[in-house]
Amino acid sequence: MQYTHEHLEIQKTLRRFIDEEINPHVDAWEEAEIFPAHEVFKKLGNLGMLGLNKPEAFGGAGLDYSYAMAMAEALGHVNCGGVPMAIGVQTDMCTPALARFGSDELRREFLAPAIAGDMVGCIGVSEPGAGSDVAGLKSHARKEGGDYLISGQKMWITNSLQADWMCMLVNTGDGPVHRNKSLVMVPMDSPGIEKAKKIRKIGMHSSDTGLIYFDNVRVPQRYRIGEEGQGFVYQMQQFQEERLWAAASSLEPMEDCIAQTIGWAQERKIFGATLADQQWVQFKLAELKTEVEALRALTYRACDLHVQGQDVLELASMAKLKTGRLTRQVADTCLQFWGGMGFTLENRVSRLYRDGRLGSIGGGADEVMLGILAKTMGIAKRPPRG
């Protein structure tokens, strides 16, 4: 995959917006442990950034997924991980299935306002007892007339304390666990929803994360995305784009971490020379930069095949696995070179160290990625599920 002039112009516009509207406020938002999502998203919507690959009929630009990938990569220019993640939830995590399988009525009601930046969305999959094991979630919906009555809990939900709606994966039947789930659009001001707790985290501070309770929350069955019982399948497809987004958005933060560490090493004196004069430091930084470029190549290849309509489950899982592990390696190695300065909160390297740790957990843990790869390679069988 190679970016065209149009891709690069989108990135240029977004980076300028980040410099003017986001980065000057990041430290304050990190301190507050929340950022004004509606305000930021509306400005992004006005720029046309929230629906690059979404249908034109609902306010999107109708471009292919490579443009969403270019946007994700440019979001790495933000001086923290929480704000890009919140934007990525809106563009690549809670809206792909809605855009692809939702009825026109549903897309007018929820997708169009999300693309315009008038509504903030969230994706409701994880629960207190089911995170990476998506098939094991317990929230359920029973039918009453033309409605669903939804009960259960969702946890670790990004944007949920500010969201106008949730794209919620919920059990809508009693059959096999991979065929009894549906994706349902749930307005977050519905009676019976309790935003029970703001979850404090070791990183991603500017991103609000909630524990949400649902007690017989009534929503019309027409708010279901696509076919009943196909939610697990739809969510697995959404995960592919989420994982590619995670990989693309990690590239610039890692590059910036390495570059800042080089600048520090060239100034820092140790044992009569600079830190950068030490061959070990030179070699480790060279190795890390090589690994980042290898991840870029893998991510671009996966994106290219995805645009061509091919299944990229294996490559997206590889990219997600590599992203989480490499981010940890880059941040940890660079922090060590910064010494005591790297252990301070205001240091950008320490922020990547904290924010980046989520990469091996959220969106499917490393072990889940390895399990997927073992299956796609034909060396592991899927265990039977009741």
Side-chain angles (χ1 to χ4, degrees):
M1 185 185 77
Q2 185 172 358
Y3 287 148
T4 65
H5 174 74
E6 288 75 17
H7 290 92
L8 296 176
E9 283 300 305
I10 287 172
Q11 290 187 323
K12 181 180 178 181
T13 298
L14 184 54
R15 288 192 175 101
R16 185 187 307 118
F17 174 82
I18 290 168
D19 284 334
E20 295 174 356
E21 301 287 348
I22 295 181
N23 280 344
H25 308 290
V26 160
D27 288 344
W29 294 342
E30 287 280 294
E31 184 71 22
E33 296 187 357
I34 197 167
F35 81 102
H38 283 90
E39 176 186 331
V40 173
F41 283 18
K42 183 56 184 173
K43 292 176 180 178
L44 285 167
N46 290 341
L47 283 177
M49 291 290 175
L50 297 181
L52 293 176
N53 63 323
K54 300 300 189 296
E56 293 180 81
F58 303 98
L63 301 169
D64 66 49
Y65 186 73
S66 66
Y67 291 87
M69 179 68 65
M71 177 185 175
E73 191 170 347
L75 282 172
H77 189 59
V78 177
N79 290 339
C80 70
V83 175
M85 181 174 67
I87 297 168
V89 166
Q90 183 93 344
T91 59
D92 288 77
M93 302 178 203
C94 69
T95 51
L98 174 62
R100 193 172 289 126
F101 301 109
S103 66
D104 285 353
E105 181 184 14
L106 212 55
R107 290 188 288 181
R108 281 192 296 269
E109 190 166 349
F110 295 104
L111 181 63
I115 290 172
D118 294 324
M119 283 187 172
V120 173
C122 63
I123 179 73
V125 177
S126 295
E127 299 179 359
S132 291
D133 181 14
V134 176
L137 64 85
K138 301 301 182 185
S139 58
H140 61 277
R142 63 180 177 88
K143 294 179 180 178
E144 186 176 274
D147 298 333
Y148 285 124
L149 292 178
I150 299 175
S151 294
Q153 305 174 42
K154 292 296 178 180
M155 193 171 187
W156 317 115
I157 309 304
T158 300
N159 293 352
S160 59
L161 302 182
Q162 301 185 72
D164 298 290
W165 54 258
M166 175 185 289
C167 177
M168 183 177 182
L169 186 63
V170 60
N171 293 309
T172 51
D174 298 321
V177 293
H178 297 104
R179 296 194 295 275
N180 73 336
K181 295 170 175 56
S182 302
L183 283 174
V184 180
M185 300 299 296
V186 181
M188 291 296 285
D189 61 356
S190 301
I193 293 180
E194 179 187 355
K195 298 178 180 180
K197 181 181 180 181
K198 177 181 179 179
I199 300 171
R200 301 193 69 196
K201 312 175 296 293
I202 66 170
M204 299 290 190
H205 288 160
S206 54
S207 169
D208 61 291
T209 307
L211 169 62
I212 314 296
Y213 293 150
F214 300 82
D215 182 12
N216 284 319
V217 177
R218 184 180 295 272
V219 297
Q221 289 182 44
R222 63 182 176 83
Y223 278 11
R224 185 187 67 242
I225 295 173
E227 298 179 33
E228 189 170 76
Q230 289 297 301
F232 185 88
V233 174
Y234 298 158
Q235 183 56 42
M236 291 305 105
Q237 293 177 358
Q238 279 194 144
F239 272 147
Q240 291 193 32
E241 293 189 355
E242 175 177 343
R243 289 161 184 167
L244 289 178
W245 182 93
S249 65
S250 76
L251 297 171
E252 188 164 330
M254 285 193 282
E255 288 180 326
D256 186 57
C257 183
I258 293 168
Q260 288 196 38
T261 302
I262 290 172
W264 163 262
Q266 289 172 336
E267 297 294 328
R268 178 66 170 171
K269 297 293 180 62
I270 182 171
F271 303 128
T274 69
L275 188 63
D277 289 327
Q278 311 302 315
Q279 191 179 68
W280 165 253
V281 175
Q282 297 169 8
F283 284 7
K284 283 302 296 182
L285 293 173
E287 181 180 1
L288 292 176
K289 187 170 178 61
T290 300
E291 290 294 316
V292 173
E293 283 304 312
L295 174 59
R296 187 193 308 277
L298 171 61
T299 304
Y300 281 14
R301 177 169 178 250
C303 178
D304 191 35
L305 293 176
H306 184 56
V307 169
Q308 295 175 32
Q310 298 189 34
D311 185 351
V312 293
L313 172 63
E314 185 172 64
L315 291 179
S317 300
M318 289 177 175
K320 168 65 168 59
L321 174 68
K322 184 67 173 176
T323 296
R325 293 185 167 186
L326 184 57
T327 303
R328 291 156 63 188
Q329 183 183 3
V330 168
D332 186 67
T333 301
C334 289
L335 190 150
Q336 183 72 18
F337 292 155
W338 279 80
M341 291 296 295
F343 203 62
T344 58
L345 279 175
E346 60 267 21
N347 189 293
R348 282 287 308 285
V349 174
S350 74
R351 185 174 287 170
L352 180 63
Y353 182 88
R354 299 188 305 275
D355 290 350
R357 188 59 182 85
L358 181 63
S360 286
I361 301 172
D366 284 0
E367 294 76 15
V368 173
M369 298 302 101
L370 290 167
I372 291 171
L373 294 172
K375 293 181 181 73
T376 61
M377 294 166 65
I379 56 177
K381 295 181 180 179
R382 185 183 299 276
R385 299 292 297 257

